[in-house]
Amino acid sequence: MATREEMAVIKAARAGSSMAQLALGNRYLCGGTGLPRSNGTAFYWLKRAAQQGVDDAWMTIGKNISYDQVKELSPPRESAVWYEKAFDAGITHAGLTFARLVLDNAEQFDSSSQARAIGALSVLASQDDHQAQWLLAQQIQRHSKDEVRVGDDDGKGHSAKAPSADAVLTLEDRLITKAAHAGIEQAQYALLDKAWKKSDYAAFARGAAVLVDKLFKRNAVVVAQLEKEVEVTGGVFLSAEESALLLRFAQWRLQQTYPQMHSQMDPHRQPDPIEISRILELAALAGNIEAQLELGLLCAKIDRGGNRVFMEHGLANFKKALHWLTLAGEGGSAAAWHALARIHSRSIYSQRNLDVALRYLEKAAGLGLVDAQYEFAQTYWRNRRDDPLHDVKAIYWWQKAAAQNHQDAKTALEAFSAQSSLNTWAGDTLMRLSEKLRNASPFLSARIELAASFGLSKPEALLIDVKNADYGHCLVVDICEHYARSKRRLISIETEEQRSTLNRVSRLFSDVDCSFSGLEGNYRQRQYRLRTTFPEIS
């Protein structure tokens, strides 16, 4: 309970006395016999005193109220003013809070305020404030493609033109390195990320080993359950960047998966699949899809190319492999579905099922995996006699793979290209088609135009059922019912011009009966119309 003296201070503060507000803020800040310690209440009264021009109030705020506390207590635009004043008055760590209030809420501040915030970070970074070094490195990274406004050494926010890109990157690396060596964990992760992207795997491994050990200690209960191979009941406490670090560290250890790293690995240290699986499983339990994929492959003892690995370390655990690969696939990993397809299609797996394998292969192809698209096309082509549309589907997936520059798919499509046709009669005839002939014989003209675009023979041009021949990605030419000497064939639609021609012709025939009982008559009548209209082609 507040004492009589404290009640008098509270009454005066409520009445608007700035000095009483300052005194009350200090009492709540420190706590005492009658008043509890409360940073929130302290900030409220100190802020009211500061608004009345009491310098000691904002000095006290700058000294004692941290960023994590003030961001919950006051709008950034309101509180940033006090911290900037405190920094200018010589309270160094207030500059860090000011910079974070401005830069973390940049949309609420003008460019001048942001420049002053970066200036404050520059001053603190030059004084070996490692947290400021890390924050400044983040700002340089964020604005490296634009002009970076950097305050001068007096911290007053005078802007300077950004240095060259190489100089910016060098400064950024230097700041991150200093912050990382000082123990700023976020900077350590950033430094390792840079090493990984530069393929400096030796430097990555040296730094990652320490952080991986910390993550294992933090999740000791889960790790113990993994070692005993029992069901994990505890939660895994990993951020996205932490699980990514575990994944990369495990990938570095998997020599067979990443042969390009061999030159930087310790030749005396062989990868231990059990140790690697624990690293991956910790990341997989945190929801990292790539780790789930790698763990599934490791349990199945195959690599991404489907080759067997680690055979000297015992049998594959397909039950566990299917669990993790399915989770990765459901999370959007095409490679996981592809691996499942390979497992179900091989005799090494006791539950071999080609139908299930084909279903998984389709999922991988649908997610854009080029190897799966080509394999799926090949499967349909091999089984084209089982269903009339299998060859149509094969061309579709060959086209998808070819669009991603798969050379075998491009080679397979050459046989279905209109350019490979020897039927060139329609091209010469198309040159003679006048506007008068088009109006007099619109259907014949459209068939000639279609033949010129797709290399159709004369029987094919006259007998093709235009409405049923278009499958979107290819043209199915099948006139065997009316012309016994022909063979069903497919023509790939490769250009926008072909697509446009086919759309135009399809619209013309949309309400027309293309059979022999329709407007065009039977085959003899169509031949006669072609010969009489263009006698030179007979």
Side-chain angles (χ1 to χ4, degrees):
M1 180 179 291
T3 63
R4 185 175 299 178
E5 180 186 351
E6 287 167 340
M7 289 298 298
V9 173
I10 291 173
K11 185 176 179 180
R14 287 175 176 171
S17 169
S18 59
M19 298 312 295
Q21 291 168 347
L22 172 63
L24 187 58
N26 282 323
R27 294 194 182 197
Y28 273 112
L29 196 62
C30 301
T33 54
L35 295 176
R37 183 173 182 174
S38 171
N39 286 335
T41 310
F43 179 81
Y44 171 78
W45 289 112
L46 290 170
K47 180 182 72 172
R48 290 188 61 177
Q51 288 170 341
Q52 295 193 64
V54 179
D55 292 348
D56 285 346
W58 47 258
M59 291 281 283
T60 304
I61 290 175
K63 283 179 183 177
N64 299 285
I65 308 295
S66 68
Y67 171 76
D68 290 329
Q69 294 168 342
V70 76
K71 69 179 182 180
E72 304 294 337
L73 300 173
S74 172
R77 285 183 61 85
E78 182 181 72
S79 53
V81 176
W82 313 124
Y83 287 93
E84 184 176 14
K85 285 186 174 183
F87 176 62
D88 290 340
I91 301 173
T92 7
H93 63 266
L96 194 61
T97 304
F98 163 64
R100 293 187 69 182
L101 285 168
V102 173
L103 298 175
D104 288 354
N105 304 278
E107 69 283 352
Q108 300 182 32
F109 293 87
D110 57 23
S111 57
S112 176
S113 299
Q114 294 178 40
R116 294 197 305 275
I118 293 177
L121 286 181
S122 300
V123 171
L124 293 172
S126 66
Q127 296 173 0
D128 280 341
D129 186 311
H130 303 300
Q131 189 68 41
Q133 289 169 344
W134 165 236
L135 293 174
L136 185 58
Q138 286 181 299
Q139 291 303 310
I140 294 173
Q141 191 175 46
R142 190 175 303 164
H143 301 291
S144 59
K145 294 182 181 179
D146 305 315
E147 284 195 352
V148 184
R149 298 175 64 84
V150 183
D152 63 1
D153 289 343
D154 63 6
K156 301 301 181 182
H158 300 294
S159 62
K161 189 177 177 67
S164 66
D166 290 341
V168 168
L169 290 175
T170 304
L171 174 60
E172 177 194 342
D173 290 341
R174 189 164 64 249
L175 290 170
I176 291 176
T177 303
K178 285 183 177 180
H181 289 167
I184 305 296
E185 199 164 276
Q186 289 175 300
Q188 292 172 344
Y189 279 96
L191 195 63
L192 293 176
D193 182 63
K194 284 180 173 291
W196 181 268
K197 289 176 179 177
K198 291 177 181 176
S199 300
D200 186 0
Y201 299 115
F204 169 82
R206 285 194 301 271
V210 178
L211 293 178
V212 168
D213 188 53
K214 286 182 180 179
L215 295 177
F216 267 63
K217 289 177 180 177
R218 190 201 304 166
N219 295 275
V221 175
V222 173
V223 172
Q225 292 173 332
L226 293 178
E227 290 174 349
K228 294 177 182 178
E229 296 186 356
V230 298
E231 184 180 355
V232 176
T233 56
V236 177
F237 304 103
L238 294 174
S239 66
E241 62 180 5
E242 289 169 344
S243 63
L245 177 73
L246 289 174
L247 167 67
R248 287 173 172 178
F249 189 71
Q251 287 175 332
W252 177 77
R253 296 295 313 280
L254 288 168
Q255 298 182 51
Q256 288 81 357
T257 307
Y258 290 90
Q260 67 270 28
M261 301 181 189
H262 286 186
S263 61
Q264 299 189 43
M265 289 197 66
D266 183 352
H268 303 293
R269 186 177 187 184
Q270 296 300 318
D272 180 1
I274 296 177
E275 177 192 352
I276 295 170
S277 67
R278 286 177 189 145
I279 297 172
L280 288 172
E281 195 160 2
L282 195 60
L285 286 168
N288 188 296
I289 294 172
E290 192 75 8
Q292 292 169 350
L293 166 64
E294 293 286 6
L295 180 59
L297 293 173
L298 187 60
C299 292
K301 287 187 165 47
I302 59 174
D303 61 15
R304 295 199 183 202
N307 306 306
R308 305 292 299 277
V309 294
F310 296 126
M311 295 307 299
E312 69 279 8
H313 291 276
L315 298 175
N317 186 341
F318 284 114
K319 180 180 179 181
K320 195 171 181 180
L322 295 182
H323 168 74
W324 288 113
L325 288 173
T326 302
L327 279 180
E330 290 172 349
S333 172
W337 293 125
H338 197 202
L340 284 167
R342 283 173 169 157
I343 290 172
H344 281 85
S345 64
R346 293 185 178 182
S347 57
I348 58 171
Y349 178 50
S350 58
Q351 298 181 25
R352 182 171 182 258
N353 189 321
L354 295 180
D355 291 334
V356 173
L358 192 63
R359 189 166 69 247
Y360 288 144
L361 190 61
E362 184 176 10
K363 287 177 180 287
L367 287 172
L369 188 65
V370 63
D371 290 336
Q373 290 171 343
Y374 179 72
E375 287 179 29
F376 201 40
Q378 293 291 96
T379 301
Y380 271 126
W381 184 252
R382 285 194 300 268
N383 300 314
R384 61 188 179 277
R385 291 181 177 84
D386 296 344
D387 188 293
L389 292 180
H390 276 184
D391 52 359
V392 175
K393 294 177 180 178
I395 287 184
Y396 174 81
W397 290 109
W398 273 328
Q399 287 178 337
K400 289 287 188 182
Q404 298 193 61
N405 208 32
H406 194 288
Q407 293 304 316
D408 290 337
K410 289 181 177 180
T411 303
L413 285 172
E414 289 175 0
F416 303 96
S417 173
Q419 305 300 321
S420 64
S421 176
L422 300 177
N423 299 310
T424 59
W425 65 275
D428 298 331
T429 306
L430 190 64
M431 301 290 291
R432 299 185 179 90
L433 263 180
S434 64
E435 195 64 31
K436 181 178 179 182
L437 282 175
R438 289 179 185 274
N439 293 332
S441 304
F443 300 123
L444 179 61
S445 300
R447 288 182 179 277
I448 291 173
E449 191 175 357
L450 196 64
S453 291
F454 292 94
L456 304 181
S457 66
K458 281 181 277 187
E460 288 173 338
L462 293 173
L463 294 173
I464 187 173
D465 185 348
V466 179
K467 290 186 293 184
N468 296 320
D470 183 9
Y471 279 81
H473 64 283
C474 71
L475 193 69
V476 178
V477 183
D478 187 358
I479 60 170
C480 299
E481 183 181 351
H482 306 297
Y483 193 77
R485 286 183 289 174
S486 71
K487 289 184 179 180
R488 180 179 181 273
R489 70 188 185 101
L490 279 62
I491 304 170
S492 177
I493 299 174
E494 300 170 324
T495 65
E496 289 295 328
E497 184 181 356
Q498 287 177 322
R499 181 71 263 169
S500 176
T501 299
L502 187 52
N503 288 344
R504 187 168 58 254
V505 173
S506 296
R507 286 194 297 270
L508 178 65
F509 282 91
S510 60
D511 298 324
V512 176
D513 183 0
C514 293
S515 68
F516 288 167
S517 59
L519 294 174
E520 295 179 283
N522 58 33
Y523 182 43
R524 287 182 178 276
Q525 290 171 319
R526 298 181 191 192
Q527 281 184 307
Y528 175 77
R529 191 175 296 110
L530 178 64
R531 285 198 303 268
T532 54
T533 307
F534 302 99
E536 65 278 358
I537 69 170
S538 60

